[in-house]
Amino acid sequence: MEYLTVALAKGRLAELSIDLFLQMGMDCSEMKEKTRKLIFTDEVHKMKFILVKASDVPTYVEYGAADIGIVGKDTLLEENRNLYEMLNLGFGACRMAVCGRAEIKDKLFGINNLRVASKYPKIAQSYFQDEKGQTIELIQLHGSVELAPLVGLSDVIVDIVESGKTLAENGLEVLYEICPLSARFVVNKVSMKMHTDRIMKIVEFFRERIV
Ligand code: PRP
């Protein structure tokens, strides 16, 4: 039997996913330990688990380096890779939103060359240009995005809001919601044809446990 490889987004999504694979009887408990290892193998079920940066999960799956991936919808929208999105797992729920100071809300869509800071340039461009027909100046950042409007780097941000704590503690708020987000189960298109039964067994197991 060939190995099936699962790419997990490092962090909370991986932890929740590992619990589900453990419930399935797969031996991936070593992933819960503090370790620098990146590949974990279950020889009995012929499964490999790899830990990768969230934004790289769709790349591994599209190229077939992983047959299966578990990753946030935000990453899928931003990466726009050629793969099957099989299941909304429900966990990791949060939302993508345009955020900023409350005063800017009413005039937002009238501002010429609105400066938008984001870790998600494609999602931000697509929302303003395709949905609102507004030209923006996109400023790509890689973290602490909430800082941008506070120091005059941008007018607003497009970012993930989970508890809303980061916004509240920095005097910002959600101005417009773009879309809800959560973890998704994705599959490589060729793997789906080659290993339909094995993959669907995992999909069904996960489907029954969706929160
Ligand atoms: C994410 C996101 C927000 C924050 C939202 O950042 O980009 O900044 O979490 O969570 P909250 O609504 O619960 O406060 P992350 O923790 O990934 O940090 P970084 O963007 O600075 O890397």
Side-chain angles (χ1 to χ4, degrees), residues 10-201:
K10 273 186 204 169
R12 203 171 148 264
L13 290 192
E15 279 169 33
L16 293 166
S17 313
I18 291 163
D19 287 339
L20 284 168
F21 283 107
L22 284 171
Q23 282 177 39
M24 264 198 99
M26 310 240 177
D27 178 19
C28 50
S29 53
E30 201 189 343
M31 293 177 92
K32 297 195 105 181
E33 291 162 18
K34 256 201 151 41
T35 167
R36 304 289 287 182
K37 261 178 85 170
L38 297 168
I39 302 188
F40 304 83
T41 309
D42 175 338
E43 293 295 351
V44 176
H45 299 92
K46 290 285 174 206
M47 297 286 294
K48 282 186 195 289
F49 297 89
I50 60 174
L51 280 176
V52 304
K53 207 174 144 117
S55 55
D56 293 335
V57 171
T59 312
Y60 279 82
V61 174
E62 183 186 73
Y63 283 92
D67 305 283
I68 292 166
I70 294 180
V71 66
K73 179 69 177 173
D74 51 318
T75 308
L76 292 178
L77 289 170
E78 188 62 27
E79 295 295 317
N80 195 25
R81 292 284 178 173
N82 189 18
L83 39 74
Y84 291 132
E85 186 182 322
M86 303 289 294
L87 209 54
N88 179 352
L89 295 165
F91 57 77
C94 51
R95 53 201 169 130
M96 186 64 71
V98 180
C99 311
R101 292 189 202 274
E103 312 86 78
I104 204 171
K105 182 168 181 174
D106 294 337
K107 53 183 177 198
L108 189 71
F109 297 115
I111 298 175
N112 270 337
N113 287 320
L114 182 78
R115 283 182 303 156
V116 181
S118 187
K119 287 190 281 190
Y120 301 92
K122 285 188 193 147
I123 295 174
Q125 287 283 11
S126 146
Y127 176 75
F128 281 101
Q129 260 164 19
D130 306 342
E131 270 188 51
K132 303 291 174 192
Q134 185 172 9
T135 307
I136 60 165
E137 185 179 341
L138 198 283
I139 299 161
Q140 182 164 9
L141 294 177
H142 299 92
S144 302
V145 182
E146 290 83 357
L147 197 55
L150 302 182
V151 297
L153 178 60
S154 73
D155 298 306
V156 290
I157 62 171
V158 164
D159 200 16
I160 287 177
V161 182
E162 195 176 351
S163 65
K165 211 162 166 239
T166 314
L167 290 179
E169 289 189 7
N170 290 288
L172 304 172
E173 56 186 62
V174 170
L175 304 176
Y176 297 95
E177 194 167 317
I178 298 178
C179 61
L181 303 165
S182 54
R184 305 297 156 105
F185 188 107
V186 297
V187 177
N188 170 271
K189 289 191 166 176
V190 177
S191 305
M192 193 61 208
K193 284 201 185 75
M194 307 277 292
H195 308 287
T196 316
D197 290 352
R198 285 177 77 194
I199 292 174
M200 285 315 293
K201 222 170 144 186

